[in-house]
Structure formats: C-alpha cells, structure tokens
Amino acid sequence: MTGNAGRAQYVLRRPIRFAITVLRAFRENQALLLAGAVAYYTLLSIIPLLILVLIGLSEVIDPAALLSTLGRYLAWLIPAQSMAVVSDLARFLDDRGVVGWVLLATLLVSSSLAFTVLEGAMSAIFTHRPGKRRHFLLSAVIPYSFVLLLGTGLLLVTLVSGAIQAIGAQSIDFFGHFWSLRGVSGVLLYLLGVVGEIFVLTAIYLVVPGGALSWRHSLIGAVTATVLWEITRHLLVWYFATLSEVGVVYGSLATSIVVLASLDFAATFLLLGAQVVAEYERIDVRGEHPAPRPPTRSGTSA
C-alpha cells in the first residue's frame, strides 16, 4: 500500500474523524487570528496591486475589457462589492502617470508584509515539516513573482473570456430550431474562474510553506478551500442582497467593511485548506491513524 493510497483510504473510511482532527488542530494553531492578520495585510496590498496591474496591462489591451474581466472575477474574492471596487479602479486609470510610482512603493511594502504574515501562518500550521528556514532574499522575491503571475493570468483570462463571450453571442441552427449559446458561455466562464482559483491556491500551497509540498497534496488543499469558499461566496452574495443592513450601520465605510469581511473568510479557508494538507500528511499509513502532533508554535510568530 503506497503512502498516498493509504492516507486516502483512511480519510474515506473516517471522514468525520479526519474533519474533527483538522478543526481541532486549526483551533489550536489560532488560525482564525492568523486569518484576520492575513486579510488585513491583503486589504492593504490588493488595491495598489490591482491598480498597477491595470496600468501595465492597459498599454497592450483595451482597459474596458480588463475592467470587465476584473469585475467578473473579483466577485470570487469580494462578492457583492466587486463593482464598487472596479469603479474606484477605473478612476485611477485616468491618473496613471501621477500615481504609478507612489503605488509601486506602497505595493512593495504592503505585499511584502502580507507575504510575511502568510508565511508565518503557514509555518504555524506545518509544524511537522522539518527543514531549514527559507533564505530571506527568496522570501522577498516570491511576493513579486506572484504579482507577475497575477498580471499574466489576468491578461490570459481577459483574452479567453472575450472568446467565450463571443461564443455566447452565437446560436445553433438545427433543422430550423435555434438554440442560444449564452448559457454555455456562462458555464464556461464560471468553470474558468473555478479552475483559476484552484490553480492559484495550489501554487500558494506549493510555494509558501517551508519545505517542498507535493502537487497532489497541494491540490487536495486547494480543492478543499475552493469548495468551502464557493459555498460561502454564494451565501455571502445572498446575505448582502437580502438581509444585510451593513450600509445602514456603517454608512460610507460599508464597502471597506464588506471587503475586509470577505477577505477574512477567504483567508480562513486558505489556512483551513493548508491545515487539511498538514493533517493529511501526518496520517501514519502503517498504523492508519494520525501521527502525534508536535508542540504547537505560537500562532503570532512570523
């Protein structure tokens, strides 16, 4: 019996026990507090990051198409407030020559802090993984590599989305009966977003934790986080559309509050997916039970 096969059989035979183990370890690692820190620093860096990406890509592709694509897929991260954020981003494009260097400096600082906090949170979760600490120069380069990856991904997604939307404008003529492909294009756009979400999360799990994770284990965590986030995202959209009084309570701060709350949920599921990977790796396939947990590190150390 191979290690992966044995771990998979253990989880399939005892899913509830494994889930309880994951949640218990998640609580012991103070991961909710860590998720709040990750969400806060992400909020500081995401707006200047998106502005700089838009400024750069608007030189080679139509800004309206970029903003349309960005609005569609920002809804994955900040449901119910993506259009408000896109409206603010559109205004910055008119002043691209004035704010570029200021935003670049802001991005350099805030993204480095966000990655440092995320790296510390991952190290608190993957306490069972021995290995030397990553060199600080490598840790400094990784956030900006993700920035380049994000820009490249946005460019490709914009091009692919345009092709899919063109398909949606077509129809099929079959013996005098016409069927619109608009629904097909909508499904394809949704699947494109889900696949992109899984790809980004897998890349994070592969790169951020200390030591080399296998892509299979990273994919398990990414799929888990994606499923949980997709369920929560649709619930958030429904809640903010029907029940929420956040605009009445917070007034002009409502957008910031909703964005921060959405990022907090997203960061929680990001770390929960990492915890799933950590507990999956700790399953002792010989004895078919989780290996003893090492002493828990401080959840606030980076």
Coordinates of all heavy atoms in Angstrom, one line a residue, residues 16 35 43 68 84-85 90 136 141 143 163 202 211 218 227 259:
I16 N -15.4 11.9 9.1 CA -15.8 12.7 10.2 C -14.6 12.8 11.2 O -14.3 14.0 11.7 CB -17.0 12.2 10.9 CG1 -18.2 12.2 9.9 CG2 -17.4 13.0 12.2 CD1 -19.5 11.6 10.5
A35 N -5.7 34.3 10.2 CA -6.5 34.6 9.0 C -6.9 36.1 9.1 O -6.9 36.8 8.0 CB -7.8 33.8 9.0
L43 N -5.8 43.4 2.4 CA -6.6 44.5 2.1 C -5.7 45.7 1.8 O -6.0 46.5 0.8 CB -7.5 44.9 3.2 CG -8.4 46.1 3.1 CD1 -9.4 45.9 1.9 CD2 -9.2 46.4 4.3
S68 N -13.9 44.8 -17.2 CA -15.0 43.9 -17.2 C -14.6 42.5 -16.7 O -15.3 41.9 -15.9 CB -15.5 43.7 -18.7 OG -16.5 42.8 -18.7
A84 N -18.2 48.1 -7.0 CA -17.7 49.3 -6.4 C -16.2 49.4 -6.4 O -15.7 50.5 -6.6 CB -18.2 49.3 -4.9
V85 N -15.5 48.3 -6.2 CA -14.0 48.4 -6.3 C -13.6 48.7 -7.7 O -12.7 49.5 -7.9 CB -13.5 47.0 -5.8 CG1 -11.9 47.0 -6.0 CG2 -13.8 46.8 -4.3
A90 N -11.2 52.2 -12.0 CA -11.4 52.8 -13.3 C -10.9 54.3 -13.2 O -10.3 54.9 -14.1 CB -12.8 52.7 -13.8
F136 N 16.1 34.8 3.3 CA 15.2 36.0 3.3 C 15.1 36.6 1.9 O 14.1 37.3 1.6 CB 15.8 37.0 4.3 CG 17.0 37.8 3.9 CD1 16.9 39.0 3.3 CD2 18.3 37.2 4.1 CE1 18.0 39.7 2.9 CE2 19.4 37.9 3.7 CZ 19.3 39.1 3.1
V141 N 11.6 37.9 -2.8 CA 11.3 37.8 -4.3 C 9.9 37.2 -4.6 O 9.2 37.6 -5.5 CB 12.4 37.1 -5.0 CG1 12.0 36.8 -6.4 CG2 13.7 37.9 -4.9
P143 N 6.8 37.3 -3.3 CA 5.6 38.1 -3.5 C 5.5 38.8 -4.8 O 4.4 38.8 -5.5 CB 5.7 39.1 -2.4 CG 6.6 38.5 -1.3 CD 7.5 37.7 -2.1
A163 N -13.1 35.5 -25.9 CA -13.5 34.4 -26.9 C -14.8 33.7 -26.4 O -15.6 33.3 -27.2 CB -12.3 33.4 -27.0
T202 N -3.3 26.2 -5.4 CA -2.3 25.1 -5.5 C -0.9 25.7 -5.5 O 0.0 25.2 -4.8 CB -2.5 24.3 -6.7 OG1 -3.8 23.7 -6.7 CG2 -1.5 23.1 -6.8
G211 N 9.7 23.9 3.1 CA 9.8 22.5 2.6 C 9.0 22.4 1.3 O 8.1 23.2 1.0
S218 N -1.0 19.5 -2.4 CA -1.4 20.9 -2.6 C -2.7 21.0 -3.3 O -3.5 21.9 -2.9 CB -0.3 21.7 -3.4 OG 0.9 21.7 -2.7
V227 N -14.0 24.6 -2.6 CA -15.3 24.1 -2.4 C -16.0 24.9 -1.2 O -17.1 25.4 -1.3 CB -15.4 22.6 -2.1 CG1 -16.7 22.2 -1.6 CG2 -15.0 21.8 -3.4
V259 N -15.5 44.3 2.2 CA -14.3 43.7 1.5 C -13.4 43.1 2.6 O -12.9 41.9 2.3 CB -13.5 44.9 0.8 CG1 -12.2 44.3 0.4 CG2 -14.3 45.4 -0.4

